[in-house]
């Protein structure tokens, strides 16, 4: 299996660095082929702007969607974007690893999503009609591939529990897992989260190796989160709201999980 790890942490000598190294070694020992996009080491350009479409008409205002779509279709994107898209095509499974900073991923990883997910590549594809509203949310260019988050958080597991002050971890990660991964078609596996990172000692690290190793060993067999697919009868089109008989009485993120 081909595994791409998109990794965002500024310090190699960190818990995240150790997790990344463990994942690479464990996967390679199991016979998988691994590539790592280490965004800080790559000095990844975070901002999506006119420099990402160098052949665009500079006399016109930069249009994030149309200019990226044109550059993707014509093969004139900046080279760093094209290389990362090639890695996504190559990968069977993509692991996004990052510390949870202010309830989301670090800006450098969000910038990777902004730039690599070009219009025509990860979004803006498929027909729009009375029965099909674009190829997304369960369909799309990443269909047939799997994705998983490896996340570290300073808070306690109770802080991210159903009644915890930070909100349930599934809700905190919903915009990433549903919006950034399921949207372009990935089958999204449940995340692996390390809590209370400042208290990880040798005993806890041994537990993490066991837990994460088991998750990596089951990448091909773990059941994905059963998000409802957009164009398969659960949603009114084009309103894209759940039909009245689907998750009746439910609202919020949980209603979109079957």
């Amino acid at each position: 299996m081909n595994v791409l790890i998109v990794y965002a942490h500024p310090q190699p000598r960190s818990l995240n660095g150790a997790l990344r190294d463990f994942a690479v070694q464990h996967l390679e020992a199991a016979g998988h082929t691994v590539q790592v996009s280490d965004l800080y080491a790559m000095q990844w350009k975070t901002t999506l702007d006119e420099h990402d479409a160098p052949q665009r008409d500079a006399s016109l205002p930069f249009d994030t969607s149309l200019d990226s779509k044109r550059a993707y279709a014509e093969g004139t994107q900046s080279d760093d974007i094209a290389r990362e898209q090639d890695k996504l095509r190559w990968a069977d499974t993509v692991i996004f690893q990052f510390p949870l900073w202010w309830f989301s991923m670090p800006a450098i990883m969000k910038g990777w999503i902004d730039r690599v997910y070009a219009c025509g590549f990860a979004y803006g594809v498929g027909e729009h009609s009375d029965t099909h509203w674009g190829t997304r949310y369960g369909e799309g260019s990443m269909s047939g591939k799997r994705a998983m988050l490896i996340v570290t958080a300073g808070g306690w597991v109770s802080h991210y529990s159903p009644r915890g002050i930070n909100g349930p971890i599934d809700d905190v990660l919903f915009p990433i897992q549903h919006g950034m991964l399921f949207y372009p078609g990935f089958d999204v596996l449940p995340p692996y989260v390390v809590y209370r990172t400042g208290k990880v000692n040798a005993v806890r690290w041994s537990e993490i190796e066991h837990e994460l190793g088991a998750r990596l060993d089951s990448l091909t067999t773990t059941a994905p989160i059963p998000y409802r697919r957009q164009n398969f009868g659960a949603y009114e089109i084009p309103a894209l709201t759940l039909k009245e008989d689907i998750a009746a009485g439910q609202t919020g993120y949980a209603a979109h999980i079957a």
Side-chain angles (χ1 to χ4, degrees):
M1 178 171 62
N2 295 334
V3 181
L4 171 63
I5 300 176
V6 183
Y7 169 80
H9 195 282
Q11 176 51 258
R13 296 173 58 188
S14 62
L15 174 61
N16 268 274
L19 288 167
R20 176 204 56 199
D21 293 345
F22 172 80
V24 171
Q25 294 163 10
H26 192 91
L27 289 165
E28 290 182 340
H32 304 297
T33 304
V34 182
Q35 291 191 68
V36 178
S37 288
D38 184 339
L39 302 184
Y40 281 94
M42 294 160 60
Q43 296 185 321
W44 179 260
K45 174 179 170 286
T46 302
T47 53
L48 170 63
D49 57 28
E50 66 272 15
H51 302 294
D52 293 330
Q55 304 303 314
R56 60 177 292 275
D57 185 347
S59 68
L60 299 175
F62 174 62
D63 187 302
T64 55
S65 293
L66 294 180
D67 281 329
S68 71
K69 182 176 184 178
R70 187 177 299 111
Y72 171 71
E74 296 176 354
T76 58
Q77 302 173 108
S78 61
D79 291 340
D80 57 346
I81 292 175
R83 284 193 297 269
E84 297 304 296
Q85 290 171 346
D86 284 341
K87 291 178 186 177
L88 282 174
R89 294 187 187 95
W90 166 86
D92 302 304
T93 296
V94 183
I95 295 172
F96 292 84
Q97 186 197 330
F98 57 91
L100 192 66
W101 286 354
W102 288 108
F103 298 87
S104 188
M105 56 177 56
I108 198 169
M109 182 173 282
K110 178 56 164 57
W112 188 93
I113 296 286
D114 288 345
R115 298 180 64 227
V116 175
Y117 276 26
C119 185
F121 174 69
Y123 76 100
V125 298
E127 69 170 272
H128 283 71
S129 67
D130 291 339
T131 58
H132 192 282
W133 198 257
T135 302
R136 59 184 194 170
Y137 288 120
E139 303 174 274
S141 56
M142 299 300 122
S143 291
K145 301 178 184 292
R146 297 188 147 216
M148 184 180 84
L149 303 184
I150 297 176
V151 180
T152 59
W156 299 16
V157 63
S158 62
H159 300 174
Y160 294 93
S161 65
R163 290 172 57 83
I165 186 70
N166 291 337
I169 191 63
D170 290 339
D171 285 5
V172 173
L173 297 178
F174 186 89
I176 299 172
Q177 295 187 137
H178 186 265
M180 300 182 197
L181 302 182
F182 188 60
Y183 184 109
F186 282 110
D187 288 328
V188 186
L189 307 185
Y192 178 71
V193 185
V194 178
Y195 298 97
R196 212 175 181 187
T197 53
K199 298 297 182 180
V200 174
N201 54 22
V203 173
R204 178 61 183 128
W205 176 253
S206 180
E207 295 172 348
I208 289 169
E209 286 184 317
H210 177 75
E211 295 165 359
L212 181 55
R215 290 299 311 275
L216 296 173
D217 288 340
S218 61
L219 284 176
T220 61
T221 57
T222 297
I225 300 169
Y227 292 126
R228 301 184 191 278
R229 301 172 72 186
Q230 176 186 280
N231 294 308
F232 290 77
Y235 294 89
E236 298 283 0
I237 295 176
L240 299 183
T241 54
L242 285 168
K243 293 182 177 178
E244 290 186 3
D245 60 331
I246 303 294
Q250 278 189 273
T251 58
Y253 296 153
H256 300 285
I257 299 176

